[in-house]
Amino acid sequence: MMKKRYFTDNISPESIEKMILCFEPQFKSYAAGETILAYSDQLEKVGILLAGRARLYYIDENGDSSLLENYAKEDLFGEVFSLPLEDYEYIVTAETDCNVVFISYQHIVTPCEKSCQHHSQLISNLFLMTAQKSQALSLHITILNQHTTRKKLLAYLRYAQSSCGAKEGEYFEIPFTLGDLSEYLAVDRSAMMREIRQLKHDGLLDSQRRRFMLID
């Protein structure tokens, strides 16, 4: 996976101040549990999480919801990142109290009259962040295609270990609660917990809530 990019990478604080005037952003606050954004068919706006934690859920044609992504400070979301799946809804909800800034999609992709350098850099950042989300989706699909709960769990934990820069025998922390992890893996939580206990018994894993260590 490529190094994580952010919306304002390589853009100076002075340029960010100019962007605020140019893009006419909307700043909003949300309480935990509130819906931040329900994706539409139109590319209307992107949101940047300034504070708090949020989650993206997709809802299938039967009304069942599943966790797709977690968002933390400086993460980006919006219709531009939705998946081309018919009859699916995408909803971003606040996990904690959140502060969000919304920017019109057209303001981003349409250069202003001054053709500012920071605007070109912002579009480049947006492109790279879109590529990262595509990678994350590919990873999720690869994990879901594993045939057993054990294989799904180990595939995700190996990725989490690598993304944290941890080595074999070192603890790393995942961004999910165990309940959210089972939802992300599309497995029964009780079955997942049994597999974790079995992996510990087999000497392949140690864990303390969100902290895990893979043992070669």
Side-chain angles (χ1 to χ4, degrees):
M1 301 287 283
M2 67 176 70
K3 179 183 177 183
K4 187 169 184 178
R5 294 297 294 263
Y6 294 99
F7 202 59
T8 55
D9 278 359
N10 301 315
I11 301 176
S12 68
E14 293 78 13
S15 292
I16 292 174
E17 290 182 5
K18 293 178 182 178
M19 286 165 55
I20 290 176
L21 295 175
C22 178
F23 292 163
E24 301 176 1
Q26 295 181 320
F27 294 88
K28 294 188 177 182
S29 298
Y30 297 88
E34 280 193 285
T35 296
I36 296 175
L37 179 66
Y39 287 13
S40 68
D41 294 330
Q42 303 297 319
L43 300 180
E44 296 180 352
K45 58 190 175 182
V46 296
I48 306 170
L49 190 59
L50 301 178
R53 298 191 307 274
R55 296 170 173 171
L56 172 64
Y57 291 93
Y58 69 89
I59 303 173
D60 64 22
E61 63 275 12
N62 297 318
D64 296 323
S65 65
S66 297
L67 177 66
L68 190 59
E69 284 189 290
N70 278 333
Y71 298 129
K73 183 178 179 181
E74 294 190 48
D75 278 341
L76 189 70
F77 54 87
E79 290 94 343
V80 68
F81 301 116
S82 63
L83 303 178
L85 299 175
E86 295 183 3
D87 301 322
Y88 276 49
E89 294 182 62
Y90 298 89
I91 297 177
V92 179
T93 62
E95 181 184 359
T96 66
D97 292 350
C98 292
N99 294 327
V100 178
V101 58
F102 290 105
I103 300 175
S104 164
Y105 179 75
Q106 289 303 317
H107 274 90
I108 295 173
V109 299
T110 305
C112 61
E113 296 177 356
K114 298 179 182 179
S115 297
C116 306
Q117 182 178 356
H118 60 252
H119 202 143
S120 298
Q121 181 62 56
L122 184 146
I123 293 174
S124 176
N125 290 347
L126 181 62
F127 174 81
L128 290 171
M129 293 176 78
T130 303
Q132 287 179 327
K133 287 185 178 292
S134 177
Q135 284 188 336
L137 175 61
S138 296
L139 169 72
H140 199 174
I141 292 173
T142 298
I143 291 172
L144 293 179
N145 281 338
Q146 302 300 308
H147 297 303
T148 66
T149 297
R150 171 177 284 221
K151 289 182 177 180
K152 288 182 179 183
L153 183 60
L154 287 175
Y156 172 74
L157 291 177
R158 289 191 186 102
Y159 159 74
Q161 178 190 56
S162 175
S163 64
C164 291
K167 300 177 181 178
E168 292 285 345
E170 292 181 349
Y171 281 101
F172 56 91
E173 187 167 329
I174 65 172
F176 296 111
T177 66
L178 294 179
D180 288 339
L181 178 58
S182 67
E183 189 172 354
Y184 177 82
L185 299 178
V187 298
D188 178 75
R189 188 180 187 278
S190 297
M192 185 189 75
M193 296 304 298
R194 286 195 300 271
E195 200 59 65
I196 289 174
R197 288 193 294 269
Q198 186 61 49
L199 286 165
K200 287 183 176 181
H201 180 267
D202 294 342
L204 300 175
L205 176 72
D206 193 22
S207 68
Q208 301 170 358
R209 296 188 179 181
R210 295 191 185 197
R211 298 181 72 236
F212 287 85
M213 178 174 66
L214 294 173
I215 303 169
D216 189 4

